[in-house]
Structures are given as C-alpha cells and as structure tokens.
Amino acid sequence: MLCRRSAQEPWQIIYSSDGSSELCGYDPDDLEQQRVRWDEIIHPDDIASAIATLTEAIEDEKPYETEYRILTHSGTERWVWERGRVMGNEFEKDRAIEALITDLTDRKLAEFELKEAQSFSAAIVDAAVEAVITISADSQIIVFNREAEEIFGYIEEEVIGRNFLMMLPDIYHGEHNEFIRYFNENGKLKYAFRHREMQLLRKDGTECPTHVSVHDMPNQKVRQFVVTIRDISAERAAEEQAQEYRE
C-alpha cells in the first residue's frame, strides 16, 4: 500500500493506493474521506511507538522505518512494516509524508513460532539430567545447562563464549584441537562417541570422572556440536569403597 498523508496530527491520508483494500480491508476512498483514520486502525498497544517514530522523523526530516500491528476492517490483527519520508520542510503548508506500508504478518508469525520452538528446546535442555554443552566450530561454549552448572561449579555466564579447553585436562588438548580442525575443514565430526570415560575439570581445578558423548548437529546455519556428560564420580567412589572392603 502506497500512501501520502499530512505531516500534522491527525495524520490525514491524502492519497491511498488500491493496496489498502487488501492490506486493511478499507477502500482508498474510506481513508481519503476520513471515514476511518489510519491512527484508528493501528493496534492500541502499538499506537504510541508508531506515532513516536513518525514524530521523530518529521522533526529530524529524515526517512523512517517502523513495524506495528493493525486491526483490519474485519477485526483481524496484522503486522505491517512502514517505510516513509517527509516531503517538504517545516515552512511549507502542504508538507506531507509519503510511505509504503507492507504486510509482514507471515514473517512475524514465523519468527514467533521459531522463538517458541527455541524456548521449548532450551527448557528441555535445561531440564536434562545430564550436562549438556553446545560447542561452536571454534570451540566456544554456546550452551551450558543447569546440570552442567551443578557438576562443574560454574554458572552459565562464566563459561559462555570461552574455549571448551578450559574444561579439559592437558592430556586431551591435542586431541581436541585436532577434532576442531577436522570439524572446520570437513563440516562434520571426525568421529562421534558415546559414554567415553574421561576426566573433566571442575571450576575448583579438581577432576571429575564422567561419561562423555558427542553428537553432531546437521542442517545448522552456524556449525556446532553437542556434548552430553554424565557425572560418574559417585559410581567410582562406590567401586573404590567396595575394592577396599574386599582387600
């Protein structure tokens, strides 16, 4: 929808293209004759921010972009993207705003669905009974769930963005660096493994016996892989106690 409207409140629409009928359910004549004003179509929760953007653009005489919701003639809620510019200067009586207003409801719904899916996935990861650590192609820690915090003594903010090497004793550094090199050059894991017994480092510097599994994450825009870790220190302590009893 293309439109031209007054640069003064109540932002009267002087001209509207035929696209208004499809976008909001009102014919151009409805808008041009003020049978309905555009600010009456904007969702009540978005009107303040939309007008603030418009007012700033008029005062600064600069182009603007904004996103907001509208309520169509049938009562349907839609998201729109508006881009416009002020025509004329503050001394001209016919100063106006020319704008393009586009329906972006489908894109917004897709964004909301993606956010919901991400939140759901994050909740599952956080509730996992194993430590879950997601690692980027350059070995940076991306995800560090609640169980990982419990096992290793860090809080998430302390490790996000840091190299996973911080959790590995020196004996594993060469193998890990080769693992990362291969991952970057070939776009896949050099090898995956499940329940490999390894000693990992806690925050206090002590070693924790664990079972480690590595999983690839294909079809990701940003290459990464997941490490799941189970603390087996209680099992190892029980085995040692049993051994002492037998001796």
Side-chain angles (χ1 to χ4, degrees), residues 15 91 105 220:
Y15 164 79
F91 302 108
T105 303
Q220 298 289 313

Side-chain angles (χ1 to χ4, degrees), residues 141-145 149 153-162 166 203:
I141 297 173
I142 302 171
V143 172
F144 196 81
N145 76 338
E149 292 179 331
Y154 294 99
I155 59 173
E156 184 181 36
E157 290 78 8
E158 292 178 296
V159 298
I160 296 300
R162 296 182 63 183
M166 66 183 287
K203 181 178 180 179

Side-chain angles (χ1 to χ4, degrees), residues 195-212:
H195 311 306
R196 175 181 174 182
E197 187 164 336
M198 297 176 65
Q199 298 287 335
L200 299 183
L201 296 176
R202 299 186 180 95
K203 181 178 180 179
D204 63 8
T206 60
E207 293 189 354
C208 176
T210 64
H211 277 163
V212 178

Side-chain angles (χ1 to χ4, degrees), residues 19-182:
S20 66
S21 301
E22 182 178 352
L23 180 66
C24 63
Y26 293 98
D27 293 332
D29 194 53
D30 292 326
L31 299 171
E32 293 168 2
Q33 298 301 318
Q34 293 291 285
R35 286 192 282 270
V36 60
R37 299 203 316 262
W38 188 253
D39 59 343
E40 295 173 333
I41 297 174
I42 299 176
H43 193 287
D45 292 342
D46 296 344
I47 185 69
S49 61
I51 289 180
T53 299
L54 196 59
T55 301
E56 181 181 355
I58 293 170
E59 291 176 350
D60 297 342
E61 296 185 353
K62 65 179 184 181
Y64 68 93
E65 293 183 15
T66 184
E67 295 179 2
Y68 55 86
R69 291 166 293 173
I70 62 172
L71 297 175
T72 68
H73 187 271
S74 64
T76 303
E77 183 178 296
R78 284 185 178 173
W79 277 94
V80 299
W81 171 73
E82 178 176 335
R83 181 178 186 179
R85 60 176 180 168
V86 181
M87 305 298 294
N89 60 55
E90 59 182 318
F91 302 108
E92 297 181 28
K93 292 182 179 180
D94 59 348
R95 194 180 189 200
I97 298 166
E98 290 187 348
L100 168 67
I101 305 175
T102 305
D103 186 354
L104 51 69
T105 303
D106 289 343
R107 195 196 80 186
K108 278 291 186 179
L109 290 177
E111 289 177 358
F112 294 147
E113 289 175 359
L114 177 60
K115 288 179 180 178
E116 287 181 356
Q118 290 173 335
S119 296
F120 181 70
S121 297
I124 291 175
V125 168
D126 214 34
V129 296
E130 294 183 324
V132 178
I133 303 175
T134 303
I135 302 172
S136 69
D138 57 358
S139 191
Q140 288 190 354
I141 297 173
I142 302 171
V143 172
F144 196 81
N145 76 338
R146 191 171 303 172
E147 186 63 20
E149 292 179 331
E150 290 290 329
I151 294 174
F152 297 105
Y154 294 99
I155 59 173
E156 184 181 36
E157 290 78 8
E158 292 178 296
V159 298
I160 296 300
R162 296 182 63 183
N163 197 306
F164 184 64
L165 284 172
M166 66 183 287
M167 303 184 66
L168 297 175
D170 291 346
I171 191 174
Y172 299 124
H173 284 200
E175 180 184 1
H176 179 74
N177 289 332
E178 171 61 20
F179 192 91
I180 292 295
R181 183 199 64 77
Y182 186 93

